[in-house]
Amino acid sequence: FAFYGRVSTEDQQDPESSRAWQLTRSRALIEPRDGQIVTEFFDVDKSRSIPWQRRPEATKLLAALKNPDRGFDAVVIGEPHRAFYGNQYGLTFPLFEHYGVPLWVPEVGGPIDPRNEAHDLVISVFGGMSKGERNRIEIRVKAAMSAQAKEEGRFLGGRPPYGYLIADAGPHPNPAKAADGKRLLRLDLDPEAAPVVRRIFAECAGGHGFYAIAEGLTRDGIPSPAAHDTERN
C-alpha cells in the first residue's frame, strides 16, 4: 500500500502526531488482511481546501498512479476528512478507478467500490463535512479576533498601520502563553506620524486629490511610511 495523509496549520496539531495517528488508522484497516505500507505521501501545512493537483505530495501520488512500476497495489487513507474537501473526492477518485488502483478508507471498511452508492455517499458526506468544519473554524476565528480587537482593544499581529505604534498591554490572559512570556499588544498613536494622518484626512475632506496630497507631503519633507519606520519593511 501507499499511504496518503495531510495536516495543516488550521488543524492545530503537531505534524508528526497527526501523521502517526493517521498511519495507525490506516494500518488497523489493512494489516488484518496482510496489507503493508511501503511508501508514504504526507502533505504538511497544506489547507484541505487546496486541490490535490496543488498539494505537493498528493501530486506525486497522482503521478505515481500512472506508473505500472509504482511499487504499490493500492492506496490507503487513514482520515478522509483530512484528505477530501467539498467535491474533491468526486474529482479525484475517477483517476484511481481509471488506473485500477483501489482506494481504501476505514469508513467503508476496505476499498471503495465505485459501484456501491453507499460508499460514494459516505465519502462525499465526509468531503462536505470537511468543508463545513473549515468554514466554522474560519467564522469562529474571525469572530473571536473581531471581539478581541473591539472589546479588549487588542492588536492581533502584523504590521502596525501608519500613524500607530505597537505598545505593551500587559500579560497574556491565556496562562500557558503567559508562562511562555507572551504579552498582550495594543496600538498607541505615533506622536510623529499621527498628525500627518490627521492632515491627510483633513486635506482629503477639503477636496484635495491623492496626488496633490502626496505632492504636498513630499514638498514639506515628510518621509513616507517606509522611510519613517524602517522596521516595518
Side-chain angles (χ1 to χ4, degrees):
F1 280 82
F3 160 77
Y4 178 73
R6 184 203 62 83
V7 68
S8 76
T9 52
E10 72 192 24
D11 300 315
Q12 298 181 346
Q13 190 170 28
D14 169 56
E16 283 305 311
S17 297
S18 182
R19 172 181 167 274
W21 72 255
Q22 291 181 57
L23 275 169
T24 297
R25 289 199 78 205
S26 298
R27 291 187 176 117
L29 174 65
I30 67 173
E31 286 181 351
R33 309 183 198 187
D34 297 325
Q36 180 182 2
I37 293 175
V38 296
T39 187
E40 298 180 19
F41 301 86
F42 190 70
D43 278 306
V44 177
D45 198 22
K46 299 300 176 188
S47 171
R48 68 188 75 192
S49 63
I50 297 176
W52 275 50
Q53 290 78 3
R54 287 174 47 204
R55 302 180 197 170
E57 292 299 309
T59 298
K60 292 178 184 178
L61 172 57
L62 294 179
L65 296 180
K66 308 174 185 178
N67 184 3
D69 301 320
R70 66 182 75 92
F72 57 86
D73 305 305
V75 175
V76 59
I77 291 176
E79 178 52 270
H81 208 223
R82 298 289 176 97
F84 299 117
Y85 172 90
N87 65 344
Q88 289 175 358
Y89 165 73
L91 297 174
T92 307
F93 183 70
L95 292 174
F96 288 84
E97 190 177 4
H98 175 74
Y99 291 109
V101 180
L103 179 62
W104 290 49
V105 295
E107 282 65 23
V108 301
I112 296 174
D113 183 351
R115 297 162 297 182
N116 189 318
E117 292 183 2
H119 285 195
D120 185 70
L121 177 61
V122 166
I123 304 303
S124 297
V125 166
F126 270 94
M129 290 171 59
S130 180
K131 184 175 182 179
E133 179 184 357
R134 185 178 184 274
N135 289 342
R136 287 194 301 273
I137 291 173
E138 182 179 356
I139 291 170
R140 287 197 299 266
V141 168
K142 287 184 177 180
M145 293 177 69
S146 177
Q148 289 169 349
K150 183 177 180 180
E151 305 299 334
E152 303 174 27
R154 288 168 58 175
F155 180 63
L156 301 174
R159 190 172 74 173
Y162 178 67
Y164 294 87
L165 298 172
I166 296 178
D168 186 275
H172 201 285
N174 184 309
K177 293 184 178 181
D180 287 340
K182 291 184 172 62
R183 310 280 295 179
L184 286 181
L185 302 175
R186 70 170 188 268
L187 290 177
D188 280 353
L189 291 179
D190 182 337
E192 295 182 17
V196 179
V197 175
R198 295 192 186 99
R199 168 180 168 172
I200 291 171
F201 272 82
E203 292 186 4
C204 185
H208 294 274
F210 293 159
Y211 185 76
I213 295 173
E215 271 197 327
L217 295 173
T218 302
R219 184 174 58 250
D220 292 343
I222 297 174
S224 68
H228 168 69
D229 181 6
T230 55
E231 292 184 3
R232 70 172 57 235
N233 301 330

